[in-house]
Amino acid sequence: MTKSPSPLLDARVVLQRGDLSLDVEIVVERGETVAIMGPNGAGKTTLLYALLGWLPLQSGWVLLDNEIFEAPGQDQVTSTQDRNLGMVFQDGLLFPHLNVVENISFGAEKEADNHDLMERLDVLPLSEKYPAELSAGQTQRVALARTLAARPKMVFLDEPLASIDLTARIDARNSIRSALEQSLAGALLVTHDPTDAFALAQKVLVLEEGRVTQFGTPDQIRSQPKSRWVADLMGWNVFHGVGHGSSVTLADGTQLATSESELSGETMVMISPSSVALFLERPGGSPRNSWLCRIQRVEHLDSLARISLSGPLDLYADITSDAADELDLTPGRDLWVSIKATEVRANTILGRRH
Amino acid sequence: MTSRLPVSIRVLAVLAVSFVALPLLSLLWRVPWARLATLLTRDAVMDALLLSVTTSVVAALISLALGVPLALQLSRMTGLAVSAIRAVVVLPMILPPVVGGAALLFAFGRNGLVGSVLADITGLVFPYTIGGVVLANTFVALPFVVITVEGALRAIDPRYELAASTLGANRSRLTFKIVLPMVRPALIAGGFIAWARALGEFGATITFAGNIQGKTQTLPLAVFVALESDREAALVMSVLLVSVSLIVLVSLRDRWWPVR
């Protein structure tokens, strides 16, 4: 078999639905899971529905495995039932009048043997039960089995873990991961939870107000957030100010040095809590981003300590718990805070750079 | 805990229940229970009973066969058209049955719009025949099926349809394996209410099909006739009809209106 260089899914979705104006280009490589993240109302589910052929495109195209479902100048639009795209809904949406086996075999070939699949997802013992008798976690596993039994070329999962409580979530996440690894050519996963996105996906697409604001690997999303929403999600410190050249002036006059050189106008500044350095004495060599701050709160999360600081900048700093103990960090103490200019990410909001 | 209502309202509420219950109780009170069996087996009563059961069951089945497809169609329509069609279909529910019977005469009578053509081609004649009774019953029963089933269809989450489509289901598989089974309670309820309505039909039947014993005289018509001649028989048949209505209502109470 020759390896095809073309992606599994190649689509551009342009449509208007209520207040939402969606314009998204998305490419999923073979064997890849792409997580779609974004605030409520960003158009995540709408995007899935459009790709499924459930909502009509105003313009754009949808290609799956080189097969054209819709494209400009093509009258014929492939209907949902012929797209061979699987969908797992947030609430499972099992057919209430069919038992588990009947649900799973609904979309499967008549003679298909779903025994292995059901065993893998641990739903065999539930065979004769009806959806009303299942827990949220069981429902989601059966829903996944029902979708996979139809042997789709690609699977869409819309918040598959949202209805499952935290204790059952790790199991559910594992069963999704193994299912994705074993049965699928590719997947799209809509989720609110960065843990799910980073655990299950190789790429993350951030959707805000109908537009893609960032597309990259989980590491890129974590280390280089491109929007306020992502920065907040990752627990970054976010400030607004006015940029001029390489520095940013915040509302209270505090100056932040960055590694940028062409900032102008309103600018968003993002600083990772892990790049905030703490010192008992004023650091030598007079680094530019250095202030005396007071400790407000110290929270220990596993081996990490999150320090809330107030001063010219209200900041979070993440240091190891050992280091926190060594520095004897207690609320009320004053500390020197230092941030390298290269660790300060700045994006001009108005009058974009370049 | 629910707080008590003003006395005046509670008195009126009791009055309302009594107003409906008392006539029914009076009926039961006057029934000659000892002679029930002999009265029920009289020819006129047996004829009417048999005719009523047959025609009402056939009418309910026709109502389901025609009403369910219409409900399916209406449930996926929007705008003015659906309101207009629904208004027409529901009209027999509030139309005086005598007017319905008259309308049927002008449509399916020997000289009616459709009836004359139908008689010429097939020789089928409706007025004053058992077919006419079924037609009149169906006319008044059909709206109940349409309304009940359409309501249930509209309450289905449309994403079930999407789910079935992503599993490769075509239109007919979607309709017969997902949509209709999901509204099964409404199909049953609609069928039974249509049947009960057909069983009690009087005005349209007597206007369109007449009142011929053994041919078109259904139970309600027989009750009406017997009131003049044989009060005891009328009582017995009335009790029969009340019992049937009660059984239908009690067995469907969860489906026809919410209990809680």
Side-chain angles (χ1 to χ4, degrees), chain A residues 49 52 54 80-81 85-87 89 91 93-98 105-107 146-147 150, chain B residues 157-171 173-174 177-179 181-182:
Chain A
Y49 285 3
L52 288 170
W54 194 246
T80 303
Q81 70 181 77
L85 287 167
M87 174 86 179
F89 295 85
D91 39 2
L93 217 68
L94 299 176
F95 303 125
H97 60 290
L98 301 178
S105 51
F106 182 83
R146 178 179 71 174
T147 299
Chain B
D157 187 335
R159 293 179 308 147
Y160 280 111
E161 204 172 308
L162 172 56
S165 298
T166 62
L167 295 169
N170 58 22
R171 290 242 67 87
R173 191 161 155 75
L174 180 69
K177 296 283 178 187
I178 300 297
V179 174
M182 280 183 77

Side-chain angles (χ1 to χ4, degrees), chain B residues 6-32:
Chain B
V7 175
S8 53
I9 290 188
R10 282 188 285 152
V11 168
L12 288 171
V14 169
L15 202 65
V17 174
S18 315
F19 178 68
V20 178
L22 274 177
L24 294 174
L25 286 174
S26 325
L27 206 63
L28 288 178
W29 183 57
R30 295 287 300 277
V31 172

Side-chain angles (χ1 to χ4, degrees), chain B residues 84-169:
Chain B
I85 296 172
R86 201 188 290 124
V88 170
V89 175
V90 168
L91 201 59
M93 277 171 103
I94 47 171
L95 199 70
V98 179
V99 177
L104 284 174
L105 264 180
F106 289 116
F108 298 100
R110 265 177 233 277
N111 303 315
L113 209 55
V114 186
S116 53
V117 182
L118 215 60
D120 285 350
I121 298 171
T122 64
L124 267 177
V125 173
F126 285 108
Y128 308 106
T129 64
I130 189 169
V133 177
V134 171
L135 212 65
N137 283 355
T138 308
F139 185 73
V140 296
L142 182 68
F144 290 89
V145 171
V146 177
I147 292 300
T148 312
V149 176
E150 194 207 339
L153 287 170
R154 283 192 183 268
I156 295 184
D157 187 335
R159 293 179 308 147
Y160 280 111
E161 204 172 308
L162 172 56
S165 298
T166 62
L167 295 169

